Amino acid sequence: MNATGALGRYGERLAVRRLGEAGMAVLAVNWRCGRGGEIDIVARDGDAVVLCEVKTRRAGRFQHPLAALTPAKAERLRRLAGCWLERHGGPPPGGVRIDLVGVVLPRRGAPVVEHVRGAA
């Protein structure tokens, strides 16, 4: 795994922990659909299914991770949500939500993890 991949996996582990702290149950990590794509985290929040896109950045080098969810990425997540629902029995009573978890790794100190509900 290259450095970028390792950084992303670290951010996903932090995101899983944050979602758990928020009372969400993680159902899958790095779930792949044959239609070309991956959902970083699939979780359950009450009676809703939540698809989470995780973006991890080192502080100061790139745009803030919460700015990285483009319309094209949001559309890809919607398509993947359809694939998840087809394979897991259709939509849950609480519906489906797309969240974004942004992780910023400062040069010093603890990572900053932000969770935006209903980002797309």
Side-chain angles (χ1 to χ4, degrees), residues 4-109:
T4 302
L7 181 71
R9 296 292 184 239
Y10 177 64
E12 289 168 355
R13 287 194 305 272
L14 293 173
V16 164
R17 185 169 38 187
R18 171 58 56 91
L19 297 175
E21 291 168 352
M24 298 169 70
V26 173
L27 304 175
V29 177
N30 302 123
W31 185 82
R32 292 189 179 276
C33 175
R35 295 181 190 163
E38 176 183 278
I39 301 171
D40 293 332
I41 300 172
V42 180
R44 180 168 295 280
D45 186 11
D47 60 355
V49 168
V50 180
L51 286 70
C52 294
E53 178 77 1
V54 180
K55 295 294 181 187
T56 305
R57 302 286 189 266
R58 294 191 184 281
R61 294 184 64 187
F62 300 101
Q63 70 183 16
H64 192 278
L66 296 180
L69 186 62
T70 65
K73 287 181 185 179
E75 182 56 37
R76 177 185 57 83
L77 287 170
R78 286 186 198 95
R79 186 179 71 251
L80 290 169
C83 187
W84 170 269
L85 294 174
E86 284 176 18
R87 294 186 184 177
H88 293 88
V96 177
R97 186 176 79 223
I98 297 175
D99 290 3
L100 178 63
V101 178
V103 179
V104 176
L105 304 174
R107 294 187 204 303
R108 292 188 175 145

